[in-house]
């Protein structure tokens, strides 16, 4: 352990203020067939694809940032390499207010998107048709958000946050207008992808600017406000979407983005003033070849994960072809990025132990969050017999406890450090996930609700310290790229989780149906859920058997989610340095050598 590391981490030997916050990253997940979306740090989303809907939002962390100079005996800022002056706070305390309002409005656009659209799916399908492909309304948006995150992160580090955020808002609004004017399902899906191109910029850049605005000790203010946006969106989105679809027209779901986005755009243009930076000796170059390679690789991989087991069998030619092509493109991407002067995904993102461990841990978080956000609403309706609103409430209680523990987590990691705090959080989450299969059948609604309340509290203690910690190890010039890598891994984790757990649930249910003591039962999860919505079509014995089969399928999914939590725990224990190599807010590494040495010595 190097001396610099010992003195520059959060812990008893050098106290550091932290930021708090929660953003959501749950996706409108499709039903049991395996399709899902997730938006991120951000969006809360009910899952609709066939059987039942259920609102849900997964709070996540809000703002990236760098750590400030340590206080307390023996606290010294770490070094990060060549060292260039990092830009100071963007505005004065009074001038921050309109910028914060702009960030909250921009975040609201992304946060409410999934929840408000999913409630109007029946009306959209009834008007435009395309029931067999409507899940791409969410999957297409997810695809665009995920694959553009690394590009926007690099662009914000190279050209500044403001132009990237402005471009993101404009793209999102253009996509909203086009969605409202869609004439068929294919057009609507294409325009949702345009929206996702803007949503990718909103997700990463809003988080990064939030950390740029405030010094470390003041960041809890902005994160508390951003957390409120996510929590409000999780509750208000389904209500507003249902009202507009039922009493107006589903097209208004997209049109209401316009006034919100226009105000946010005006506030950003007028009030967000980034500090001037030294003009680089050479003209910045954008790695467009790398960006295209990342986009193509992500597009093929996510398409294979989203459609596998739904549009075609997992071992069919389309699935194998997509996975094979994505593997080839991934290898090509590595070659391109290693040769690029300014790569979209720099190698130091994975060479530094701290960033690599956080990427893996939060990728596992995206994986495990599929269990509550995608499968719990169907469990609540099919097993507990709740309606869609009550089922959504069972999940939404998680959004109440997550921001609270996230807001209070700085009191923990200031004492024991980022790594140990996150280990405690994910360890508790592991035990809670393992407890789900032990719930009685059929049980009371408060049983899973209590577990979700506890799970939200545990994950708030897990995710925020990791985000704050990893942002504290980089300077201004690397913050956008680091943020994007974390969000990208979490999004990919969600996609993989939906595919894997969808296959697990379908496999368990198929085995139960094969050995069913009664005849005339449906043969897949979507059909099972639809049959349980109309219990009069089944005998009492058949209904009870199907409910028990769904209960067993969801139990296995939660066991899988516990396995993902164990992977996150393993990554933190074996890979993460005991003390994160925090650097000073006044320096930003321009090279990776010294920072790499810090992590390696931790």
């Amino acid at each position: 352990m190097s001396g610099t590391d010992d003195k520059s981490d959060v812990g008893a030997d050098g106290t550091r203020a932290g930021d708090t916050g929660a953003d959501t990253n749950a996706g409108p997940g499709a039903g049991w067939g395996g399709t899902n979306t997730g938006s991120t740090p951000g969006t809360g989303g009910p899952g609709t694809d066939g059987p039942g809907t259920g609102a849900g939002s997964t709070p996540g962390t809000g703002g990236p940032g760098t750590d400030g100079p340590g206080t307390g005996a023996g606290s010294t800022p770490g070094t990060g390499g060549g060292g260039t002056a990092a830009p100071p706070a963007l505005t004065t305390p009074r001038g921050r207010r309109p910028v914060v309002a702009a960030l909250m409005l921009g975040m609201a656009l992304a946060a409410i998107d999934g929840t408000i659209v999913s409630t109007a799916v029946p009306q959209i399908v009834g008007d435009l048709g395309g029931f067999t492909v409507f899940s791409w309304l969410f999957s297409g948006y997810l695809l665009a958000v995920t694959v553009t995150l690394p590009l926007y992160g690099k662009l914000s580090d190279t050209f500044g946050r403001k132009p990237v955020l402005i471009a993101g808002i404009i793209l999102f609004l253009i996509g909203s207008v086009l969605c409202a004017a869609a004439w068929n399902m294919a057009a609507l899906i294409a325009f949702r992808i345009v929206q996702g191109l803007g949503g990718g910029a909103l997700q990463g850049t809003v988080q990064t600017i939030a950390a740029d605005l405030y010094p470390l000790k003041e960041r809890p203010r902005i994160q508390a406000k951003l957390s409120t946006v996510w929590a409000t969106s999780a509750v208000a989105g389904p209500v507003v979407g249902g009202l507009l679809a039922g009493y107006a027209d589903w097209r208004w779901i997209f049109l209401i983005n316009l006034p919100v986005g226009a105000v946010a755009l005006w506030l950003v243009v007028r009030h967000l003033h980034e500090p001037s930076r030294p003009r680089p000796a050479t003209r910045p170059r954008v790695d467009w070849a790398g960006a295209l390679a990342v986009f193509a690789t992500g597009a093929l991989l996510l398409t294979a994960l989203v459609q596998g087991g739904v549009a075609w069998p997992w071992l069919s030619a389309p699935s194998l072809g997509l996975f094979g092509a994505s593997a080839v493109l991934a290898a090509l991407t590595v070659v391109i990025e290693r040769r690029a002067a300014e790569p979209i995904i720099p190698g130091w993102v994975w060479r530094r132990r701290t960033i690599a461990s956080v990427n893996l841990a939060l990728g596992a978080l995206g994986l495990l969050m599929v269990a509550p956000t995608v499968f719990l609403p169907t469990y609540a309706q099919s097993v507990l017999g709740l309606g869609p609103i009550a089922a959504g409430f069972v999940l939404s209680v998680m959004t109440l406890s997550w921001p609270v523990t996230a807001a209070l987590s700085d009191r923990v990691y200031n004492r024991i450090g980022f790594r140990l705090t996150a280990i405690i959080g994910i360890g508790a989450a592991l035990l809670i996930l393992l407890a789900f299969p032990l719930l009685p059948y059929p049980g009371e609604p408060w049983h899973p609700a209590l577990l979700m309340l506890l799970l939200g509290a545990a994950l708030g203690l897990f995710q925020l310290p990791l985000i704050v910690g990893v942002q504290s190890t980089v300077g201004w010039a690397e913050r956008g790229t680091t943020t994007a890598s974390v969000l990208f891994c979490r999004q990919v984790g969600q996609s993989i989780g939906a595919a894997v757990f969808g296959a697990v649930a379908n496999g368990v249910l198929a085995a139960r149906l094969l050995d069913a003591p009664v005849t005339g039962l449906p043969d897949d999860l979507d059909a099972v859920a639809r049959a349980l919505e109309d219990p009069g079509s089944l005998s009492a014995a058949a209904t009870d058997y199907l409910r028990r089969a769904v209960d067993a399928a969801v139990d296995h999914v939660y066991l899988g989610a516990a396995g993902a939590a164990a992977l996150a725990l393993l990554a933190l224990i074996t890979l993460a340095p005991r003390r994160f190599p925090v650097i000073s807010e006044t320096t930003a590494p321009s090279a990776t050598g010294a920072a790499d040495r810090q992590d390696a010595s931790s």
Side-chain angles (χ1 to χ4, degrees), residues 481-505:
T481 298
T482 302
T483 302
S485 73
V486 171
L487 300 183
F488 179 78
C489 289
R490 190 172 60 186
Q491 295 286 88
V492 172
Q494 272 194 294
S495 298
I496 294 175
V500 171
F501 294 149
V504 168

Side-chain angles (χ1 to χ4, degrees), residues 42-208:
T43 58
T48 62
D49 185 7
T53 62
S57 170
T58 309
T61 57
T66 57
D67 212 346
T71 61
S75 175
T76 60
T79 59
T84 59
L90 297 182
T91 60
T92 62
R94 183 176 181 179
R96 291 174 186 154
R97 296 173 185 173
V99 180
V100 170
L103 296 183
M104 294 176 68
L105 291 174
M107 183 169 285
L109 289 174
I112 205 171
D113 180 80
T115 56
I116 196 172
V117 172
S118 61
T119 54
V121 164
Q123 289 76 17
I124 294 174
V125 171
D127 188 12
L128 301 180
F131 177 80
T132 58
V133 296
F134 85 88
S135 62
W136 274 98
L137 290 177
F138 307 109
S139 301
Y141 181 88
L142 165 70
L143 176 66
V145 168
T146 303
V147 299
T148 55
L149 276 170
L151 174 62
Y152 287 129
K154 184 63 178 179
L155 290 177
S156 71
D157 283 343
T158 303
F159 300 104
R161 328 293 192 207
K162 184 175 181 177
V164 175
L165 181 57
I166 289 175
I169 295 175
I170 292 174
L171 265 177
F172 192 90
L173 295 183
I174 291 174
S176 298
V177 172
L178 293 174
C179 286
W183 53 90
N184 58 34
M185 185 61 73
L188 183 58
I189 291 171
F191 299 149
R192 282 284 287 168
I193 293 175
V194 175
Q195 260 193 320
L197 296 177
L202 287 173
Q203 281 198 33
T205 311
V206 166
Q207 311 270 7
T208 309

Side-chain angles (χ1 to χ4, degrees), residues 66-459:
T66 57
D67 212 346
T71 61
S75 175
T76 60
T79 59
T84 59
L90 297 182
T91 60
T92 62
R94 183 176 181 179
R96 291 174 186 154
R97 296 173 185 173
V99 180
V100 170
L103 296 183
M104 294 176 68
L105 291 174
M107 183 169 285
L109 289 174
I112 205 171
D113 180 80
T115 56
I116 196 172
V117 172
S118 61
T119 54
V121 164
Q123 289 76 17
I124 294 174
V125 171
D127 188 12
L128 301 180
F131 177 80
T132 58
V133 296
F134 85 88
S135 62
W136 274 98
L137 290 177
F138 307 109
S139 301
Y141 181 88
L142 165 70
L143 176 66
V145 168
T146 303
V147 299
T148 55
L149 276 170
L151 174 62
Y152 287 129
K154 184 63 178 179
L155 290 177
S156 71
D157 283 343
T158 303
F159 300 104
R161 328 293 192 207
K162 184 175 181 177
V164 175
L165 181 57
I166 289 175
I169 295 175
I170 292 174
L171 265 177
F172 192 90
L173 295 183
I174 291 174
S176 298
V177 172
L178 293 174
C179 286
W183 53 90
N184 58 34
M185 185 61 73
L188 183 58
I189 291 171
F191 299 149
R192 282 284 287 168
I193 293 175
V194 175
Q195 260 193 320
L197 296 177
L202 287 173
Q203 281 198 33
T205 311
V206 166
Q207 311 270 7
T208 309
I209 293 175
D212 292 340
L213 278 175
Y214 287 87
L216 197 59
K217 292 183 178 180
E218 299 181 30
R219 285 180 192 151
R221 301 180 186 179
I222 180 64
Q223 299 307 333
K225 295 176 181 179
L226 297 181
S227 299
T228 302
V229 172
W230 290 110
T232 302
S233 299
V235 177
V239 176
V240 174
L243 290 174
L244 289 175
Y247 297 98
D249 188 275
W250 62 265
R251 298 178 189 273
W252 283 101
I253 287 175
F254 299 103
L255 292 175
I256 62 170
N257 291 332
L258 301 183
V260 176
V263 173
L265 185 62
W266 181 79
L267 290 173
V268 169
V269 172
R270 181 175 178 84
H271 295 285
L272 179 57
H273 304 295
E274 292 189 277
S276 59
R277 294 177 291 158
R279 184 180 296 274
T282 59
R283 181 180 179 182
R285 291 186 294 176
V286 178
D287 178 24
W288 294 113
L292 180 61
V294 170
F295 188 94
T297 303
L300 290 181
L301 177 60
L302 290 179
T303 300
L305 292 171
V306 166
Q307 295 296 95
V310 180
W312 47 70
W314 282 110
L315 297 180
S316 65
S319 279
L320 296 178
L322 285 171
F323 280 119
S326 61
V328 172
L329 282 177
L332 179 62
T333 301
V334 172
V335 173
I336 293 174
E337 293 298 87
R338 294 187 65 175
R339 296 180 177 179
E342 294 290 338
I344 295 296
I345 303 180
W348 53 260
V349 168
W350 292 104
R351 287 196 301 268
R352 301 183 192 178
R353 287 178 54 196
T354 307
I355 302 176
S357 62
V358 171
N359 283 344
L360 292 174
L362 293 187
L365 173 65
L367 191 72
L368 74 86
M369 283 311 304
V370 171
T373 56
V374 176
F375 291 93
L376 184 63
T378 302
Y379 169 87
Q381 294 179 71
S382 298
V383 178
L384 301 180
L386 302 179
I389 296 177
F393 175 77
V394 171
L395 175 60
S396 65
V397 294
M398 186 170 58
T399 68
L400 302 178
S401 57
W402 190 314
V404 172
T405 54
L408 298 176
S409 64
D410 65 319
R411 302 185 184 183
V412 182
Y413 63 68
N414 280 332
R415 292 178 177 271
I416 64 176
F418 295 123
R419 175 178 174 267
L420 185 54
T421 303
I423 286 176
I424 293 173
I426 196 61
L430 172 60
L431 296 177
I432 294 166
L433 291 167
L434 287 173
F436 188 91
L438 303 178
L439 291 178
Y441 172 85
E444 299 293 334
W446 67 267
H447 293 156
L450 177 60
L451 288 184
M452 291 305 99
L453 189 69
L454 296 175
L455 183 63
L459 293 179

